[in-house]
Amino acid sequence: MTLRFTFAPLPTRVVFGPGTLASVRAEVERAGFSRVLVLSTPGHRHLADRVAGLLGDLAAGTHPHAAMHVPAGGAERARETAARLSADGCVAIGGGSTIGLAKAIALSGGPAYVAVPTTYAGSEMTPVWGLTEHGRKRTGRDERVRPVAVVYDPDLTLTLPPETAVVSGVNALAHAVEALYAPNGSPIVDLMAAEAVRVLTANLPRLTVEPGDPGVRARTLHGAWLAGCCLGSTTMGLHHKLCHVLGGTFGLPHAQTHAVVLPYALAYNSAKAPKACAAIAQALGESDPVTALWTWTRNLGAPSSLGELGLTEDAIAPTVDLATRDAYPNPVPLDPGRLRALLEAAVHGAPPQ
Ligand code: NAD
């Protein structure tokens, strides 16, 4: 097959390493911000306060109100707070929800931001934004929502409970898997994705037995960064679409949903996803990547079905409808009958076919 690709290096500056939170002021100064609003979820108010302390006279205030899937009303209130405080920059410290809030502010012409991720979701490496309103999650791509810099301090992930860390890690794994069959992949994306699969599958099981090991946490965050680079460089397929519908329309928790759906999505696409299948099979040391991935996620302690997350069979038809309404690239054509069967199996935790 003739090699043909387009590759644009990611524009985001990345600072990685234990203790790098201490460099947040230097990154803010480098970005030229002088009045900074610090964003977090309510549960991470203490981290927002810590960042404000590190910023000193550059801190304009904190806004610890980020919520999952970025409700449009919450984004509006954050924008108003940024305007009221005359903020010219933000720092978003937290997972994808907090970074999503910073993106919503930047999208509306508000200040740019420095991201300090505390989960493995990968949003900080992408130009993808999301907003949820009237039970629908809208997403889009806009270069304005990329952070000016990302500070990856693995020490911040030490508090992520193993059960949350594991599903967040599988969320990252899903970016790498879908990048390996994306229509706009490239040799560099393939390398990053295969390495992300290797690093994440090697370290997530260790994380469950040694959650306090800083080395395991750092390697997992390294894998998540690579996976985030894949997410930010390619277009995702069926797996991300299903999770997006299940999260935005039925309120399912983001990372847990990814952890359940991934083996089913890989099964659906397996006939046309040789690189993804090979990477998973090699990393897990098994010949059948789908069964190996399904078993592996369960052994990690991830939820075993969408039913366990609260989804009922009533949701299957609307999910199929929403997941097939708009065109998007997927290696295997979208067939409503096969998608219904996929979701039925996932609702009940039956082996993926
Ligand atoms: P999250 O940000 O909601 O975090 C999950 C929970 O973990 C929260 O309660 C949070 O306070 C807590 N938490 C986060 N870090 C912690 C830590 N270090 N220690 C202890 N607790 C911690 O969830 P998420 O999975 O990181 O992100 C999900 C959201 O991000 C979804 O809305 C999803 O759509 C979005 N997302 C967007 C993109 C993108 O490219 N736009 C990519 C991935 C995810």
Side-chain angles (χ1 to χ4, degrees), residues 6-17:
T6 303
F7 175 70
L10 295 177
T12 309
R13 174 181 163 85
V14 169
V15 178
F16 190 105

Side-chain angles (χ1 to χ4, degrees), residues 303-332:
S304 57
S305 69
L306 293 177
E308 198 179 318
L309 302 179
L311 199 79
T312 59
E313 291 218 341
D314 307 348
I316 291 177
T319 302
V320 171
D321 178 38
L322 289 168
T324 52
R325 200 173 275 182
D326 303 319
Y328 54 90
N330 192 61
V332 173

Side-chain angles (χ1 to χ4, degrees), residues 21-41:
L21 180 63
S23 69
V24 71
R25 183 178 166 114
E27 290 306 315
V28 157
E29 284 175 342
R30 200 172 187 280
F33 303 158
S34 58
R35 286 187 60 78
V36 176
L37 179 63
V38 186
L39 310 169
S40 73
T41 53

Side-chain angles (χ1 to χ4, degrees), residues 41 44 68-69 95-98 103 118-119 121-123 126 128-129 137 156-157 159-161 164 171 175 231 254-255:
T41 53
H44 271 166
M68 183 78 85
H69 302 308
S97 299
T98 308
K103 287 180 164 183
T118 62
T119 70
S123 178
T126 83
V128 179
W129 55 267
K137 187 168 179 180
L156 294 170
T157 63
T159 50
L160 201 56
T164 316
N171 181 192
H175 309 330
L231 180 67
H254 177 81

Side-chain angles (χ1 to χ4, degrees), residues 43 68 73 112 115 118 139 151-152 154 167 172 174 229 254:
M68 183 78 85
T118 62
T139 60
V151 176
Y152 281 108
V167 291
C229 291
H254 177 81

